[in-house]
Amino acid sequence: MTGQDRARTHDATTHDKTTHYKTAHDATTRAATRSTRAGAGKVLVALYATFTVAATSRAGYQLVAKGDEAPLAYGLSAVAAVVYVFATVGLAVDRPWARRLAWAAVGTEAVGVLMVGTYSLVRPQDFPEATVWSDYGLGYLLIPLVLPFVGLWWLRRTRRRTAAQAREPRSSTGVDPREGR
Amino acid sequence: MGRAGSTRRGCDPWAVVDAVVAVITGASVALLVWGLVAARTGRAPGRAMLLSGVAVQVVLLAQAVVAVVATVAGPGPEGSTVLFVSYLIAVVLVLPLALGWALVERDRWSSAVVAVGAFTVAAMVLRLWDVWRGGVQIGGPGG
């Protein structure tokens, strides 16, 4: 069992998620373990988790309490909530699919906050109640505006190390981290 | 417990007492600064910081119990009760998660996570206070 695991690891079958952890203590391969949730990524995950709860409860409350008053604003609240959920999962989980999910979610978030922020300023009458992204997230100290760009930067930064690392051993994984974009 | 606290409303003086809100907010901000300084200087959260977080959490729980009793037995918040109770539930979950994570993975960034948690608590308690006194908009001030 253990022997098999080890053999698979040496086969550079990096689909095997244990690969990263097995080499965690090797200083030269330490960079490979650099995941989106490690180190400073922890803070990012904490912030995303916070905004997931904020956006989800806001959307839930708006839809339940007064669903048909302003369907656009409440619909956008729900979209924001879903995006935050995916972004949080994508950043918190250390797997190739999660990284792709994070790219997609954080990218959507960046576009979303800019579009909704602009839209809410141009047509405030469509937003009788705020979404997380209204006025570029001013009600949340503009953190929703900054967060996606920090997130994209972080994804890029952690990707670089992983990609550099992937070049060293035989990288027959087929999971090129750069594909995530 | 908090019956002695001052209040602007005569009818239901003790559920979200101004003084308790002030204490929680002040303590959270202190914890926030502490966490940030520790993260800045590269230190993991120590026992003192974690215990301070627990202390804030105890006050939060006490306030939550009192607020629930006041909502069930008394007139409840001026604002939306659903909103109030949601905040009440959410706010007591923040620090256990932040402190728990900081306990499991101890490095400078867990200090920052504690700071994020403390900031969240401060913001939520102020919102809670707002809803209690009749803030109905959920978009924060200015609705």
Side-chain angles (χ1 to χ4, degrees):
Chain A
M1 178 70 188
T2 319
Q4 266 184 340
D5 277 346
R6 193 150 290 152
R8 280 198 287 154
T9 303
H10 285 298
D11 273 349
T13 315
T14 43
H15 295 295
D16 187 341
K17 51 246 180 205
T18 59
T19 303
H20 291 317
Y21 299 112
K22 296 235 179 203
T23 57
H25 297 293
D26 185 345
T28 59
T29 55
R30 182 173 278 271
T33 70
R34 194 168 174 85
S35 70
T36 47
R37 65 143 183 248
K42 233 181 275 188
V43 183
L44 209 52
V45 172
L47 284 168
Y48 268 103
T50 305
F51 274 95
T52 297
V53 174
T56 308
S57 25
R58 176 185 285 270
Y61 175 75
Q62 287 177 333
L63 289 170
V64 170
K66 30 203 154 182
D68 38 55
E69 272 176 36
L72 176 67
Y74 301 162
L76 286 173
S77 282
V79 170
V82 171
V83 167
Y84 281 121
V85 170
F86 284 146
T88 308
V89 172
L91 289 169
V93 176
D94 192 13
R95 301 271 190 284
W97 63 260
R99 182 173 286 271
R100 285 193 292 273
L101 180 66
W103 272 115
V106 177
T108 309
E109 182 199 355
V111 174
V113 70
L114 291 177
M115 281 177 58
V116 174
T118 307
Y119 190 34
S120 65
L121 289 175
V122 174
R123 284 183 64 89
Q125 65 268 30
D126 286 351
F127 292 83
E129 282 201 40
T131 73
V132 179
W133 291 340
S134 296
D135 307 337
Y136 302 113
L138 193 59
Y140 291 89
L141 304 176
L142 293 179
I143 296 172
L145 179 62
V146 179
L147 202 52
F149 297 101
V150 176
L152 290 174
W153 168 78
W154 180 248
L155 280 168
R156 203 174 129 75
R157 183 187 153 94
T158 51
R159 173 188 68 175
R160 259 198 214 132
R161 308 221 172 171
T162 310
Q165 188 54 43
R167 263 180 249 121
E168 280 181 31
R170 301 181 284 147
S171 158
S172 59
T173 95
V175 188
D176 186 340
R178 276 164 296 192
E179 263 174 26
R181 187 69 171 91
Chain B
M1 318 180 165
R3 202 176 271 271
S6 68
T7 175
R8 46 187 73 219
R9 295 163 67 221
C11 56
D12 192 22
W14 44 287
V16 183
V17 184
D18 294 5
V20 177
V21 170
V23 166
I24 296 176
T25 310
S28 305
V29 171
L31 192 59
L32 160 71
V33 173
W34 194 350
L36 285 181
V37 169
R40 187 84 181 82
T41 52
R43 278 177 294 128
R47 172 186 281 262
M49 191 196 292
L50 294 175
L51 286 179
S52 306
V54 171
V56 175
Q57 178 69 14
V58 168
V59 181
L60 273 175
L61 285 172
Q63 188 210 244
V65 170
V66 174
V68 165
V69 170
T71 302
V72 172
E78 295 267 297
S80 158
T81 305
V82 176
L83 199 58
F84 184 73
V85 173
S86 316
Y87 270 106
L88 215 48
I89 294 170
V91 77
V92 298
L93 297 178
V94 175
L95 280 179
L97 290 172
L99 296 173
W101 198 5
L103 205 57
V104 176
E105 293 181 40
R106 307 185 81 151
D107 59 24
R108 67 184 305 181
W109 298 109
S110 3
S111 298
V113 168
V114 171
V116 169
F119 180 77
T120 309
V121 165
M124 291 185 77
V125 165
L126 289 176
R127 266 308 280 150
L128 200 61
W129 187 48
D130 195 38
V131 176
W132 180 259
R133 295 182 310 152
V136 194
Q137 282 305 101
I138 61 175

